[in-house]
Amino acid sequence: MDTAPSSASAADRRRRRVATAAALASAVEWYDYFVFGIAAALVLGDLYFPADNPSAGVLAAFATFAVGFLARPVGGVIAGHLGDKRGRKPMLVLALALMGLATVGIGLLPTYGTIGIAAPVLLVLFRVLQGVAVGAQWGGAMLMATEYAPEGRRGLYGSLVQLGVPIGVVTANSVFLVAGALTGDAAFASWGWRVPFLVGFLVLGLAWYIHARVEETPDFKAAERALAEQEKGRPRSPLGTILRHHLGTVLLAGGSFAVNTATFYIVITGVLDYATRELAMERGAVLMVSLCVSLTQLGLIPWAASLSDRVGRLRVYALGALGLLVWAVPMFLLIDTASLLWLAVGTFVASCFLSVMYGPQAALFAELFTAEMRYTGASLGYQISAVLGGGLAPFVMVLLLEATGTSMSVAAYIMVLAVVALASIGVLARRASASASAPAAPAAAPADAS
């Protein structure tokens, strides 16, 4: 008599285990990825790209930071294609292992003064591997969470993976703060900065746990069975299907999110460099502000995702993009006061709008594509936005500041991307509305996205 309740309880436990594993995978992966951005703003320019002009060293370090973003679509394409054919879990495990090895490699890498030109070359190589790994990871973790989600809660479950970003930022900043406090300036520049990278070794243990204890998603299993019946020996190419029939959707997804990734990396990396180098603010204090602001996202992201489950993904998503458009100029006016308080206020409000977009984004991107091509489509959309926005943003910020001498140029950069986002969201909303009113709406353009 109690078979059904027992079965439901087992399913709930499986969902919680998968969601927890996906959230942890996202958190440790983003931690490994973010420590490079912080190190690029603080020490990597001097250690690996020595130059007479401090700005040149920072530009070189941020260019290496951007290389990781250029590699992310490669990881998204490879893992997406294989993840839609072979399963979500194997690609997530592979991504975690690759990220752990690359991050530890950076932590052990000798500097330019020790091995010469080989040092920056190897640094770029390890950064490329980090980019491939995070490009592969996001789609796998996001789909592990959303495809296990109960009916009507896909947004909330997807947000658990999105929480990996602020958790990664908080953890990375915390480890850097502790390393700096325990070593002092000279020792930190010599070896203390390496400690946050060596912590990345722990990600290999999580990769093993997911491999051993987490099951494949039910959506993939169902899609795999259905396609096996349809194909009867014909090879299947999720990437080919996306490029032939759904490239427009991928580009719209990327355009809708570029402002979020750009503003995020400007706030956590570009502002760190700007505040310490140009405004002469104390490094530890600025890192503490970044840490505290990221902590607020831990509550805002699930709230925005849960709201999107009730009122629609794109409505919530558009609100965040509009907020970034309006807040770009006030944020930099506050930062330029060189006051720690106003820096905190400016970046906190920006982080609220970032969270409003980031919360529903995983479920939104998953719902744009059907299960048999979802890993490929969602990953490509997200990684395109990362290249257009996040990877280049700190580099573009330094160039704009050098060329114009005013932070208003950086605000204008954010505003242009916000306009692109709102235009992309508008097209997606019209498609969703047309799909909802059609006699047989295709799964790739769901009605609840509006």
Side-chain angles (χ1 to χ4, degrees), residues 64-85:
T64 306
F65 177 69
V67 164
F69 286 83
L70 296 176
R72 282 171 60 170
V74 176
V77 167
I78 295 172
H81 183 74
L82 294 176
D84 282 329
K85 290 174 70 72

Side-chain angles (χ1 to χ4, degrees), residues 25 53 97 126 136 184 187 202 260 277 422 428 444:
N53 183 346
F126 284 131
L202 298 176
N260 188 288
R277 186 166 56 88
L422 289 169
L428 289 172

